[in-house]
């Protein structure tokens, strides 16, 4: 029988492997590892090294403020975001060290799919997109608009704002990177499409037989229609069909976690993100 401790250990291995699989360079800072994006792409972060600190991570000591500050100095030198990500139950000492170093810590429910959960039926307006799909560009743009207006309440940004955002050259850059990831099997993307307009999209990132669902966002004007759950369900189904044994995600908050519970996700811990307040 798989225990929560076993699951968290498996996720630690995934968290260490995923940036490397995505082309990041790993820099060693003792109990911490700084991942640095090589070339264009989403910037990475620092996180606990495997076996590098706290008993929960298989390590032999606490992460100190000095450890965090050494990484922060390197991030400033590289002109990349001052950010850390970790699991509270695995590396408990990092939160106090990060806060003492002046970072703000955000907590998110960490959830793993129950393999025995009943899967909802597929929706006809949700599908997995291929690398050459003409809707890929709006699909990678929708989450940007979604995350710019946090929460689950219906918002103002809709198809007109999406059309404008698509014309931003950065949107094409994201499309190219995601298309390459899809082609090489490093990610998959699903989208809810209605009348030719992408209303919601998200991805999963597989490493071995573990997959993380990430970046699920709904166009603010299309919220409260169950689209994020439908997209997540499609991602889960695709990941399982391709051999994933463990599927997990981090929910935005407890309200969102209750929604994901409808798909069979169960809380196993708390994912923490620390960054520099603006």
């Amino acid at each position: 029988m798989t225990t929560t401790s076993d699951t968290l250990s498996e996720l630690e291995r995934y968290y260490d492997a995923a940036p490397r699989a995505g082309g990041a360079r790993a820099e060693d800072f003792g109990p911490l590892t700084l991942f640095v994006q090589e070339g264009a792409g989403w910037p990475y972060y620092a996180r606990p090294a495997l076996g590098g600190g706290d008993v929960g991570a298989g390590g032999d000591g606490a992460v100190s403020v000095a450890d965090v500050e050494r990484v922060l100095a390197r991030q400033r030198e590289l002109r990349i975001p001052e950010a850390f990500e970790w699991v509270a139950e695995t590396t408990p000492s990092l939160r106090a060290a990060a806060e003492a170093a002046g970072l703000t810590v955000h907590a998110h429910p960490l959830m793993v799919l129950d393999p025995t959960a009943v899967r909802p039926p597929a929706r006809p307006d949700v599908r997995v997109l291929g690398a050459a799909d003409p809707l890929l560009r709006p699909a990678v743009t929708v989450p940007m608009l979604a995350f710019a207006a946090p929460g689950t309440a219906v918002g103002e940004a809709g198809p007109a704002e999406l059309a404008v955002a698509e014309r931003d050259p950065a949107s094409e850059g994201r499309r190219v990177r995601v298309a390459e990831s899809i082609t090489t099997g490093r990610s998959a993307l699903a989208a809810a499409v209605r009348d030719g307009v992408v209303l919601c999209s998200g991805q999963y990132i597989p490493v071995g037989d573990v997959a993380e669902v990430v970046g699920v966002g709904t166009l603010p004007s299309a919220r409260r229609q169950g689209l994020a759950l439908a997209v997540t369900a499609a991602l889960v189904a695709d990941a399982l069909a391709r051999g994933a044994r463990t599927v997990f995600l981090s929910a935005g908050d407890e309200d969102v976690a209750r929604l994901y519970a409808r798909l069979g996700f169960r809380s196993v811990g708390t994912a923490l993100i620390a960054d520099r307040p603006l």
Side-chain angles (χ1 to χ4, degrees):
M1 179 178 178
T2 302
T3 66
T4 299
S5 177
D6 292 335
T7 298
L8 292 178
S9 294
E10 181 179 48
L11 297 190
E12 280 299 301
R13 293 190 291 273
Y14 173 93
Y15 283 132
D16 184 75
R20 302 173 194 270
R25 180 178 78 249
E27 297 190 3
D28 180 11
F29 286 83
L32 299 169
T33 299
L34 172 61
F35 292 106
V36 181
Q37 178 64 262
E38 299 273 47
W42 193 260
Y44 284 105
Y45 41 78
R47 61 165 290 101
L50 284 178
D54 279 351
V55 174
D60 57 3
V63 179
S64 70
V65 179
D67 293 326
V68 172
E69 289 179 338
R70 280 194 291 272
V71 174
L72 290 173
R74 177 59 172 159
Q75 288 173 323
R76 288 191 291 270
E77 179 185 2
L78 294 171
R79 297 184 178 181
I80 60 177
E82 297 176 46
F84 292 71
E85 296 188 10
W86 73 101
V87 176
E89 291 76 10
T90 303
T91 316
S93 63
L94 183 48
R95 178 165 193 158
E99 291 175 335
L103 301 179
T104 298
V105 178
H106 314 272
H108 303 277
L110 179 61
M111 311 184 76
V112 172
L113 183 72
D114 178 351
T116 67
V118 177
R119 308 283 173 254
R123 285 178 48 155
D125 56 351
V126 177
R127 60 186 175 88
V128 174
L129 304 188
D133 197 298
L135 291 178
L136 188 61
R137 184 163 177 169
V140 301
T141 306
V142 163
M144 302 299 107
L145 295 175
F147 301 146
T152 59
V154 176
E156 295 183 1
E161 287 76 11
L162 175 59
V164 171
E166 277 187 72
R167 293 196 288 270
D168 187 327
S171 182
E172 174 60 12
R174 285 190 292 269
R175 184 201 66 77
V176 170
R177 290 191 295 273
V178 172
E180 180 184 6
S181 292
I182 292 172
T183 299
T184 58
R186 291 187 287 111
S187 73
L189 182 147
V193 182
R194 191 174 299 158
D195 297 326
V197 178
V198 177
L199 300 179
C200 178
S201 68
Q203 299 181 59
Y204 72 82
I205 311 297
V207 177
D209 59 3
V210 180
E212 181 181 15
V213 176
V214 299
V216 178
T218 303
L219 201 61
S221 68
R223 288 171 176 162
R224 302 292 180 93
Q225 299 180 43
L227 297 177
L229 283 185
V231 165
T232 302
L235 292 169
V236 167
D238 192 71
L240 294 175
R242 297 189 187 201
R245 185 175 56 83
T246 299
V247 181
F248 76 101
L249 55 79
S250 298
D253 54 35
E254 292 295 342
D255 289 337
V256 175
R258 282 189 282 273
L259 294 176
Y260 284 128
R262 298 178 187 174
L263 297 180
F265 283 92
R266 304 289 180 257
S267 180
V268 295
T270 305
L272 298 179
I273 298 174
D275 53 23
R276 181 73 67 185
L278 297 177

